[in-house]
Amino acid sequence: MPGSLLRGKRVSRHVRAAAYFLRQGVANLARHPLHASVGVLTLAVSLILVGFLGLFMWKATDLVDRLSGGLQLTVYLDPEISQGGADELVKVIREQWDEVQEVTFHSSLEDQTRNMELLPKELVEELDPELIPAQPYLEVALNIELLDEQRATQLVEWFGSLDRVQGVDEVLFGSEKISVAFSLLRGAQSIGLFISLVIVLAALFFVITTTRLIVEGRKKEIEILLLVGATRNFIRIPHYIEGVLQGGMAGLLAFLVVWFMQRQLLSSLRTESLLLVPINLLPSGMVTWFLMGGVLLGLLGSGLGMVRYLRLSK
Amino acid sequence: MGQMVVFSDVTKRYPGGILALDSLSLDMEEGEFLFVTGPSGAGKSTIMKLLLAMEKPTDGQILVARRNVRSLRDGSIPFLRRNIGIIFQDFRLIESRTVFENVAITLEVLGLSSKEIRSRVGQVLELLGLAHLAHHLPPMLSGGEQQRVAIARAVANDPPLIVADEPTGSLDPALSIDVMNLLTEMNRKGVTVLVATHDAALMNRYRSRCVRLEKGRNAGEFITGEESVQAR
């Protein structure tokens, strides 16, 4: 037989086998609706837990980011300070502290404008602008992620003594705000780590136990297939495909549940006027992550359950 | 004609020291119909397990269709089993699959096309009078019908050897005869058939060689369906 004909036959046999495995994977779901439902629900619950964990971690990091982004010191300068004196001070602060993200100089005029904005309009219209207090100041933004607790204490002390330097009038900073930010960051990190460990272990335990139970329920079927001459791949592949399909369905279900819950949560927050700006807790593309997570978990679960069983059976 | 099955001094000892077969020797010619009989625990089921490579012998040689079962690699076992049609007392049908699907699995493992499978399964179901039950699930069938399905599955891929472990054990006498008639019919068509049973009355309806086992040893051979037992 010519080589190309042989190759063609081989390809057609592989295509036929792939079609058969896919058909069997789908058929298995229909043949075992209870097993399939339990499998999908287990995977979906695991994904929902992991999804909420992801959301929690993301929001916690976001919160700390925002908090640390807003963590700044205000150094009020002597109204008579020269531009050179202010520049020198900016340079010293920058050189002294790597944790300083940015130092911005604001003139007396800018301070006056800011103060005017803070006052009621009616009052500003009647008030002599000369009476509104104004003085130049430096805004010092800190990067909390670069700070450790020891450095934070040194920083508070250093800036606390800055008002004794010539040209500096007063330093305003919330040392308690730094501590809160640190506690939050530490708390979020340790709680997040603990929760992620528990949830990931629970999800894996869920999936592996359920798959084992499902494989145990199909023990007789697998034994019969082995007795009539099925190879291990012949048994395994449709089972993996079934796991992937279940995982995909679970991913979609988990996404819909999380999406629905966030929708309900946001809508009740809006009703209570607690949330005035539109926000989306589920970033775009999240559905893909849920699907991929589901498929991966489904494959992992079916793989582990089947490998163990096939290793023990003859 | 060559030999289909050869057991040479086969010993099988299970973990815990239980001796299931003790230096057993027996052989089967191609196209032969052989009964293996003996009391419970004599080793009948162990012979079946060894033939299907579900167990490996502790000692001795086993040849099935010229394959040495003892030296088979795990990956080759499915290919040995495709040459053996297997029938059990408890039918061993997959309950979630229809009669058609149960019969089709022996052809699916061979990688045949759907068209070939439909045609072959249709023929076998017709032959065994099961065509009208093709889309039924096994739990909807009687014991006799389920055993017919098991026979259909065993013969669907035209194996050269059929082994049946107490195939009539769960059936009433009339159905037992019906099942045995099907097996002898297969044998007439050239298939080698080995039936393990302890039903002496049933065996005596057919004229065939019979090996009697006792405590895992060959305790004698005789021809069933004859007035007197003939030692060979």
Side-chain angles (χ1 to χ4, degrees):
Chain A
M1 199 177 285
S4 60
L5 200 60
L6 261 178
R7 257 199 312 279
K9 279 201 162 192
R10 212 173 299 140
V11 168
S12 105
R13 205 169 57 235
H14 289 320
V15 169
R16 203 158 59 210
Y20 170 79
F21 290 142
L22 190 61
R23 242 186 356 254
Q24 285 302 311
V26 176
N28 277 347
L29 292 176
R31 282 178 191 137
H32 308 279
L34 183 66
H35 287 171
S37 314
V38 170
V40 169
L41 284 177
T42 306
L43 289 168
V45 168
S46 308
L47 284 170
I48 289 168
L49 291 175
V50 175
F52 272 118
L53 166 80
L55 219 57
F56 169 79
M57 294 292 280
W58 180 54
K59 286 288 125 189
T61 316
D62 197 36
L63 178 74
V64 171
D65 277 353
R66 265 191 282 163
L67 195 62
S68 60
L71 194 69
Q72 60 181 42
L73 307 166
T74 310
V75 180
Y76 283 98
L77 305 174
D78 192 326
E80 305 304 321
I81 194 167
S82 64
Q83 187 62 46
D87 289 346
E88 183 60 29
L89 198 58
V90 168
K91 196 178 159 206
V92 169
I93 291 172
R94 276 204 178 122
E95 281 174 359
Q96 185 75 22
W97 296 97
D98 291 339
E99 294 84 350
V100 167
Q101 209 167 34
E102 203 176 351
V103 183
T104 319
F105 173 78
H106 295 275
S107 65
S108 295
L109 194 61
E110 283 172 317
D111 189 34
Q112 192 179 49
T113 311
R114 189 186 63 156
N115 289 338
M116 280 167 77
E117 279 167 3
L118 293 172
L119 292 170
K121 252 186 178 174
E122 307 81 50
L123 188 65
V124 173
E125 280 165 8
E126 290 173 14
L127 209 64
D128 180 0
E130 292 297 317
L131 293 175
I132 296 171
Q135 69 183 110
Y137 67 96
L138 299 176
E139 245 178 23
V140 184
L142 299 172
N143 186 352
I144 197 170
E145 282 168 14
L146 298 178
L147 269 178
D148 57 29
E149 244 176 330
Q150 197 190 348
R151 286 285 285 173
T153 315
Q154 289 171 359
L155 180 134
V156 168
E157 279 175 11
W158 191 83
F159 275 96
S161 62
L162 205 62
D163 57 1
R164 291 196 289 273
V165 173
Q166 198 185 2
V168 175
D169 190 28
E170 191 185 5
V171 179
L172 287 183
F173 61 95
S175 56
E176 67 287 344
K177 207 177 168 188
I178 296 178
S179 310
V180 169
F182 262 111
S183 310
L184 273 174
L185 190 62
R186 258 204 317 270
Q189 278 168 344
S190 48
I191 290 173
L193 194 70
F194 176 72
I195 294 178
S196 40
L197 203 70
V198 169
I199 287 180
V200 168
L201 284 178
L204 271 177
F205 176 76
F206 251 24
V207 172
I208 292 170
T209 307
T210 310
T211 315
R212 273 191 194 160
L213 287 176
I214 289 172
V215 171
E216 196 61 30
R218 292 208 204 151
K219 204 171 147 181
K220 193 180 158 194
E221 181 177 331
I222 295 168
E223 275 170 6
I224 294 168
L225 287 170
L226 286 170
L227 281 176
V228 300
T231 57
R232 275 151 204 259
N233 278 343
F234 185 89
I235 296 167
R236 259 194 295 243
I237 296 172
H239 192 77
Y240 293 162
I241 291 174
E242 199 184 330
V244 166
L245 292 174
Q246 281 180 316
M249 285 191 268
L252 203 59
L253 182 67
F255 176 78
L256 288 175
V257 168
V258 174
W259 176 80
F260 180 75
M261 286 173 82
Q262 87 132 6
R263 194 167 149 262
Q264 290 298 102
L265 177 76
L266 293 183
S267 117
S268 67
L269 284 176
R270 273 187 208 110
T271 311
E272 300 292 326
S273 301
L274 292 171
L275 187 70
L276 301 173
V277 285
I279 63 160
N280 184 12
L281 291 175
L282 284 176
S284 59
M286 195 64 153
V287 67
T288 318
W289 285 106
F290 268 100
L291 281 175
M292 278 167 60
V295 164
L296 198 71
L297 264 184
L299 194 61
L300 189 74
S302 57
L304 287 174
M306 189 53 87
V307 159
R308 188 170 176 271
Y309 182 73
L310 282 179
R311 209 175 46 224
L312 296 175
S313 54
K314 271 267 176 178
Chain B
M1 283 241 193
Q3 287 180 314
M4 179 59 72
V5 175
V6 179
F7 273 56
S8 307
D9 282 325
V10 173
T11 296
K12 176 63 190 175
R13 195 181 289 276
Y14 287 107
I18 301 158
L19 188 64
L21 293 181
D22 185 6
S23 300
L24 177 75
S25 291
L26 69 83
D27 50 57
M28 272 184 91
E29 296 293 323
E30 281 177 19
E32 190 184 359
F33 191 110
L34 175 75
F35 282 116
V36 174
T37 192
S40 294
K44 302 189 294 290
S45 296
T46 302
I47 289 180
M48 301 294 165
K49 286 179 182 169
L50 291 169
L51 280 173
L52 289 164
M54 291 165 79
E55 298 285 347
K56 293 227 162 159
T58 312
D59 206 1
Q61 292 278 18
I62 300 170
L63 297 178
V64 179
R66 285 179 278 277
R67 283 189 174 87
N68 188 339
V69 175
R70 198 173 180 187
S71 60
L72 274 184
R73 287 181 298 114
D74 281 355
S76 303
I77 292 173
F79 302 96
L80 168 83
R81 290 178 181 168
R82 290 174 193 181
N83 288 291
I84 305 172
I86 177 90
I87 300 163
F88 291 99
Q89 178 180 353
D90 58 358
F91 322 130
R92 304 237 182 140
L93 299 175
I94 301 175
E95 292 183 357
S96 58
R97 298 195 188 194
T98 63
V99 166
F100 181 95
E101 290 168 335
N102 265 284
V103 177
I105 54 171
T106 49
L107 303 170
E108 285 166 355
V109 299
L110 297 176
L112 298 189
S113 69
S114 303
K115 196 178 158 193
E116 287 170 302
I117 291 172
R118 267 198 306 276
S119 157
R120 179 67 190 144
V121 174
Q123 283 171 16
V124 174
L125 291 181
E126 196 67 50
L127 183 75
L128 289 159
L130 293 166
H132 64 295
L133 300 173
H135 300 293
H136 285 57
L137 292 173
M140 297 158 74
L141 309 180
S142 68
E145 287 168 336
Q146 289 192 51
Q147 196 57 297
R148 274 172 172 269
V149 177
I151 294 172
R153 183 184 64 194
V155 302
N157 64 341
D158 279 330
L161 172 66
I162 290 178
V163 294
D165 190 7
E166 302 281 4
T168 59
S170 308
L171 307 176
D172 62 39
L175 286 172
S176 299
I177 292 167
D178 187 31
V179 164
M180 285 305 297
N181 287 343
L182 282 171
L183 291 174
T184 51
E185 181 60 31
M186 296 302 155
N187 178 242
R188 264 196 289 277
K189 289 178 178 166
V191 181
T192 310
V193 180
L194 188 156
V195 177
T197 180
H198 62 267
D199 188 342
L202 189 72
M203 283 191 297
N204 278 321
R205 294 182 67 93
Y206 304 90
R207 190 179 162 77
S208 180
R209 185 162 72 96
C210 178
V211 173
R212 190 159 53 85
L213 296 180
E214 256 174 45
K215 292 178 182 170
R217 297 185 74 96
N218 187 339
E221 295 186 7
F222 56 95
I223 304 295
T224 58
E226 292 189 341
E227 286 291 317
S228 57
V229 173
Q230 300 173 350
R232 279 170 48 139

